Structures are given as C-alpha cells and as structure tokens.
Amino acid sequence: MAAPRWSASGPWIRGNGQGFGSLFTLVSKPFCSAAAASTGINAQRLAERLRAQKREQDTKKEPVSTNAVQRRVQEIVRFTRQLQRVHPNVLAKALTRGILHQDKNLVVINKPYGLPVHGGPGVQLCITDVLPILAKMLHGHKAEPLHLCHRLDKETTGVMVLAWDKDMAHQVQELFRTRQVVKKYWAITVRVPMPSAGVVDIPIVEKEAQGQQQHHKMTLSPSYRMDDGKMVKVRRSRNAQVAVTQYQVLSSTLSSALLELQPITGIKHQLRVHLSFGLDCPILGDHKYSDWNRLAPQKLSVGTLKKLGLEQSKARYIPLHLHARQLILPALGSGKEELNLVCKLPRFFVHSLHRLHLEMPNQDQNENNEAKCLGAQ
C-alpha cells in the first residue's frame, strides 16, 4: 500500500523551505493541542466509566439473605473468591493467626477452606506462594522459606504441617510415607454407613468418566464382583493402588452422620471415593464424587435441604465437609514425646452439625455449644 502523501498548494512548497516550516508550525500546534485535549477527555471518560461500573457492581451485590444458613453459604462463597484475590502478605498474616503449634522444627497451621496447597491452572494464590513470607513473619527477614511436609485438597480444612528446613521436611514426609503418622479426619455424610464402624479395603484407580463432560475421577477397583449371584474374582488393574480406610460413626440421624475417618493409606481422594462409592454415603458438599457420570451439584433429599434451610438450586455452594481433625506424629529429632495436633472444626462445619441435629463427642462439647449459639443467631 502506497504511503500517504501530503497535499499542499504550490506556495507552501516553493522557496527556501520556510513555507513548509510555516505549514508545520501552523498545523502542528493546533493538532497537538487537539490531540492532548482529546487524550484528556478520553482518559476522563474512561475514569468516569470505570467509576460508574464500580458503582453498578456495588449496587448489584447479592442481597443478604434473612436465613442464617444461606447467609453463611454466601459468606463461604465470598471468602473462597477473596482468597484468590488477596495479597500474599495478607494471606500469610491470616495463617499466622491460625497457628496450632510452633517449635524449632515445625510450624503447624490450620488450613482454611478453598485454599489450594500447590499452584496450577487457574490458581492465582496458594500456600506454597506464601511460605517465604510466613517464615519471615515468624522468624524475621533473614528466615529461610518453610517447607511442606504433606498436602491437603483445596476443599479440605484442618491440620497442616510445615518444617523449617528440608531435612526435617523429608523426615516428616518419610513418616507419612511409611504410615507412622496417625491421621484422623471428621466428615459429615449424606446417609448413614452400615455397619456403623468398619474398614474399607478396596483398591482405587483413576479412570475417565463418560458423560456430557468427559473428565477423570478416582474410582474403586475391587478384586471381586457379583455375577449371577456368584462372587467372581476380577483381574486387577495395573494402575490400581491399595487403599484402606477405617471409619466410625460418631453421631447419626436417619439421613446424615458425623464420621471419624482414619486413612491407613494416602491415595488421592481416598476418603471421598471410599465413602461415596464404597459405603454409598458421600460427604456433604462433595460435588465431584456424589455422582460417577456427572459433574454437577450434589443432589440432596428434601429433608436434608429443609434442615439446612436451602433450596436444591443453592446446593452447589455447600462446601466439602471434610476436616483434618488430628495428626499424631512420633517423636522428632531430640524429642522424647509424640506430637498430638488437634484442630478445631471450621465454623460452617459446626453450623451444619447443629442444623442436621448431629452431636459431637463429649470432649468437643465446647464446639457444640458454639454451634448452638450460631444457630440461635
């Protein structure tokens, strides 16, 4: 494409060049002034538009529900979104307020709901991002970053162990790998497992689920199946991993239960898979494993929805009720006593217990009293 040309009459081109200079002077000054004015106007308009959009967003905020449970659901949704938007320093400061234990070897934190441990697609902020900041807040600006000793799922709350140096982190990781750490989780389930206590010993494998949305899930890979009323041995998948979970019902109603879970192995999503596909009692708020073929909000009975004060359309906001309640670590380093780490339940978990009429063991009566106070609000 030909370059644009200036079109000017002869007098501006003839002579010693002063005519062209005069043209440039005459034309450029008004042009620059107009451009500057236009830029200022555009910037002003843009600023006004952004302020208007902000005001519109503020006015369009979700109305606050008069129902206490729905208000709590709204709080959880907002909190989860905010976790991905806060500055790492703010998150680190919040984690320091939830420290369960600290010594020369370890720092044990209370992991909040909705916060991933590691980064990944779509993850803007995770625990590993704030470990250097957290270390400096606790030990000064020259402190080395803390190290992860194990992991918890994004939706799981509770006890999480960090180490001050790599050697100690490897030592704790080895304790987890060799199953020397006692891990106890609490979960609220939809329906009640039968029998009320037992062991689920079924291998787990990852498979692609066929449906409207193709996705991968962990699922059971049993060694036997029923065929015309007969028990038939199944050829084991090469990718299947041994998975063993001990469980006990702490409290139950006709439609829900509070369980204590002790995973003997540490397979990905083991507790969720064993409860949902092994015992037919999915965890409340488990929207991934409540149905094998679909990725959809958990379907709850009318009775459960009524107790929670929710409609089915709002069920997708129910958080996963799985809490890393307790870890018991063997003596570390020069220590002579085991380390017993207990983390109190998150507020939404306690509130759900109260709404579902589930009772906690006697030693946790203080939290149960807190639930009653919340329910009265």
Side-chain angles (χ1 to χ4, degrees):
M1 182 174 69
R5 296 181 179 177
W6 288 93
S7 61
S9 57
W12 293 108
I13 301 175
R14 289 196 300 270
N16 58 6
Q18 294 176 353
F20 185 80
S22 301
L23 172 65
F24 184 79
T25 303
L26 290 171
V27 174
S28 63
K29 286 184 179 178
F31 179 81
C32 292
S33 301
S38 175
T39 303
I41 292 171
N42 289 340
Q44 185 177 359
R45 286 176 180 171
L46 178 60
E48 290 175 355
R49 190 183 307 163
L50 290 173
R51 284 193 290 268
Q53 288 176 354
K54 180 70 168 59
R55 286 193 298 269
E56 186 178 351
Q57 288 175 358
D58 291 341
T59 57
K60 285 186 176 179
K61 283 183 179 178
E62 189 175 354
V64 178
S65 173
T66 56
N67 183 291
V69 178
Q70 290 188 356
R71 282 202 308 271
R72 187 58 189 147
V73 169
Q74 291 172 355
E75 288 175 13
I76 292 167
V77 173
R78 283 197 301 271
F79 177 67
T80 305
R81 290 171 181 165
Q82 288 168 2
L83 277 174
Q84 291 299 309
R85 292 198 296 264
V86 299
H87 192 277
N89 288 4
V90 177
L91 177 57
K93 188 66 176 177
L95 293 177
T96 61
R97 290 195 290 266
I99 288 179
L100 306 173
H101 173 82
Q102 183 180 353
D103 58 31
K104 63 179 182 179
N105 295 318
L106 305 175
V107 174
V108 184
I109 62 173
N110 177 4
K111 180 193 167 298
Y113 173 82
L115 181 64
V117 175
H118 298 285
V123 175
Q124 298 175 3
L125 187 62
C126 59
I127 286 181
T128 52
D129 291 338
V130 301
L131 292 183
I133 304 170
L134 182 60
K136 289 177 181 178
M137 285 183 175
L138 297 175
H139 269 195
H141 289 289
K142 294 184 179 180
E144 293 294 321
L146 287 157
H147 301 272
L148 290 170
C149 296
H150 62 117
R151 66 181 300 276
L152 291 174
D153 291 340
K154 173 183 174 181
E155 298 87 358
T156 304
T157 59
V159 182
M160 179 156 224
V161 182
L162 310 172
W164 281 112
D165 59 63
K166 283 186 179 180
D167 290 339
M168 180 55 64
H170 290 155
Q171 185 178 337
V172 177
Q173 289 165 4
E174 186 65 13
L175 292 175
F176 275 94
R177 191 187 68 81
T178 55
R179 303 171 190 171
Q180 296 183 57
V181 179
V182 177
K183 300 173 286 184
K184 293 183 179 180
Y185 290 74
W186 280 15
I188 297 178
T189 60
V190 179
R191 296 184 289 274
V192 184
M194 291 295 293
S196 60
V199 175
V200 182
D201 184 358
I202 308 175
I204 290 177
V205 68
E206 187 171 18
K207 287 186 178 179
E208 183 177 355
Q210 301 297 327
Q212 292 181 345
Q213 297 173 281
Q214 287 192 344
H215 54 282
H216 286 80
K217 286 183 181 178
M218 307 302 287
T219 188
L220 301 178
S221 180
S223 302
Y224 293 87
R225 64 179 174 84
M226 295 298 294
D227 188 4
D228 292 332
K230 297 180 180 179
M231 192 77 75
V232 179
K233 188 172 179 61
V234 178
R235 183 178 179 181
R236 182 180 173 181
S237 169
R238 259 187 292 178
N239 297 323
Q241 296 174 285
V242 174
V244 182
T245 302
Q246 185 175 345
Y247 73 92
Q248 178 182 358
V249 175
L250 300 178
S251 176
S252 65
T253 63
L254 292 176
S255 57
S256 58
L258 170 64
L259 269 62
E260 182 175 83
L261 308 165
Q262 189 171 335
I264 309 303
T265 54
I267 308 303
K268 177 182 175 182
H269 296 170
Q270 172 181 321
L271 299 178
R272 298 164 68 178
V273 172
H274 274 173
L275 287 176
S276 185
F277 302 146
L279 295 173
D280 192 29
C281 297
I283 298 174
L284 179 64
D286 193 345
H287 308 292
K288 182 169 186 175
Y289 288 103
S290 292
D291 189 294
W292 166 247
N293 290 314
R294 297 191 311 147
L295 284 174
Q298 187 177 44
K299 285 287 183 73
L300 297 173
S301 68
V302 175
T304 299
L305 289 170
K306 186 176 180 180
K307 287 180 181 178
L308 293 173
L310 295 173
E311 299 175 356
Q312 180 58 50
S313 61
K314 300 293 184 181
R316 66 183 182 275
Y317 296 124
I318 298 176
L320 182 73
H321 286 63
L322 179 61
H323 178 68
R325 174 69 173 176
Q326 183 179 16
L327 283 181
I328 302 176
L329 294 172
L332 295 168
S334 58
K336 297 180 180 179
E337 294 183 358
E338 64 183 18
L339 193 58
N340 186 8
L341 305 164
V342 180
C343 182
K344 70 176 185 179
L345 297 170
R347 185 177 173 184
F348 73 84
F349 197 115
V350 178
H351 201 136
S352 296
L353 285 174
H354 174 68
R355 298 287 301 197
L356 295 170
H357 305 145
L358 294 169
E359 297 180 356
M360 285 188 282
N362 292 332
Q363 64 265 31
D364 301 289
Q365 203 59 42
N366 288 338
E367 291 180 50
N368 196 28
N369 292 337
E370 180 186 349
K372 291 178 180 178
C373 293
L374 288 171
Q377 293 177 356

